[in-house]
Amino acid sequence: MPGCNSDFFSQEEVDRMQFGCIGDEVLIHKTCIIVDTRKIFLGNRVRIDANCLLSVGSSLLIGNNVHLAAQTIVSGHADITIEEYAGCSFGVKILSSSDDFSGNYMTNPTVRSEYTNVHSSAVRVSRHAIIGAGSVVLPGVTIGEGGAIGSQSLVNSDTEAWSIYAGVPVKRLRARSRELLDREHLYKSTLSKN
């Protein structure tokens, strides 16, 4: 896999981490923090760059050919799915849990749960979706297939497939080209020849 160097764990080291499932050609940077690997399922050709945090209370499924750029955080108590060919740019946060900010409840994990009102809901980043640098995806959101999220955006509701969104909160800007699907077929044909 391109970009392989001594800053990443070897395949043998990754295999020993006891992930729920682990594919081939997985690159995980040695500075990543990964909590409860048995709840994390990684496909083939996954790359997780420097200083990422993966910490889920339920399960995290990462499909084939997924890239998590440096300082990406994927965390929460509900399931998180990142489907094949999706990508997260530098500093993206995908959260499946959030405290109640209304002031009606206490917040943070040092307080017993009967005094808080944590909302947890599954998050899905669909295939071929891309999330721009510094964006935040909140609990319960599905980013539609082929969706593109502009940098520094707040995704607090589902997005349509093959659409470009940006803003705080995100708004749909326009359609996104599907031409990359032709390239996907060509790419897959090269994999079958190897």
Side-chain angles (χ1 to χ4, degrees):
M1 177 182 280
C4 184
N5 62 47
S6 63
D7 293 336
F8 290 88
F9 290 109
S10 69
Q11 186 69 47
E12 295 77 28
E13 290 171 316
V14 170
D15 290 342
R16 286 195 300 267
M17 291 181 187
Q18 299 182 330
F19 284 95
C21 181
I22 186 81
D24 295 323
E25 299 181 60
V26 172
L27 286 176
I28 300 173
H29 198 274
K30 291 179 178 178
T31 61
C32 291
I33 298 172
I34 302 174
V35 179
D36 207 349
T37 56
R38 288 184 173 91
K39 295 179 181 179
I40 300 173
F41 304 84
L42 303 174
N44 299 316
R45 294 170 302 283
V46 170
R47 179 175 162 156
I48 303 170
D49 287 346
N51 300 308
C52 289
L53 168 65
L54 307 180
S55 175
V56 292
S58 188
S59 72
L60 170 59
L61 173 62
I62 298 178
N64 298 331
N65 296 95
V66 170
H67 176 230
L68 303 181
Q71 298 186 10
T72 294
I73 295 174
V74 181
S75 182
H77 298 293
D79 293 345
I80 298 173
T81 302
I82 304 173
E83 295 180 354
E84 63 182 354
Y85 305 110
C88 296
S89 297
F90 185 87
V92 166
K93 280 109 181 129
I94 300 174
L95 309 172
S96 67
S97 296
S98 178
D99 275 306
D100 183 326
F101 284 70
S102 68
N104 295 322
Y105 298 90
M106 296 178 72
T107 62
N108 87 57
T110 67
V111 177
R112 291 197 316 253
S113 62
E114 62 263 30
Y115 300 102
T116 65
N117 185 33
V118 175
H119 168 70
S120 295
S121 186
V123 174
R124 177 175 298 276
V125 179
S126 300
R127 59 190 311 270
H128 289 297
I130 186 165
I131 305 171
S135 294
V136 177
V137 180
L138 292 180
V141 166
T142 294
I143 296 176
E145 179 178 350
I149 307 300
S151 296
Q152 300 291 326
S153 293
L154 175 66
V155 188
N156 63 351
S157 60
D158 292 352
T159 66
E160 295 175 29
W162 300 103
S163 297
I164 299 172
Y165 285 78
V168 179
V170 292
K171 292 188 178 12
R172 186 178 187 277
L173 302 178
R174 63 181 178 277
R176 184 179 184 212
S177 172
R178 296 177 192 225
E179 194 170 315
L180 62 86
L181 293 174
D182 294 332
R183 295 182 188 279
E184 175 189 349
H185 294 298
L186 291 171
Y187 172 73
K188 283 183 174 178
S189 72
T190 65
L191 292 176
S192 63
K193 292 175 185 173
N194 294 335

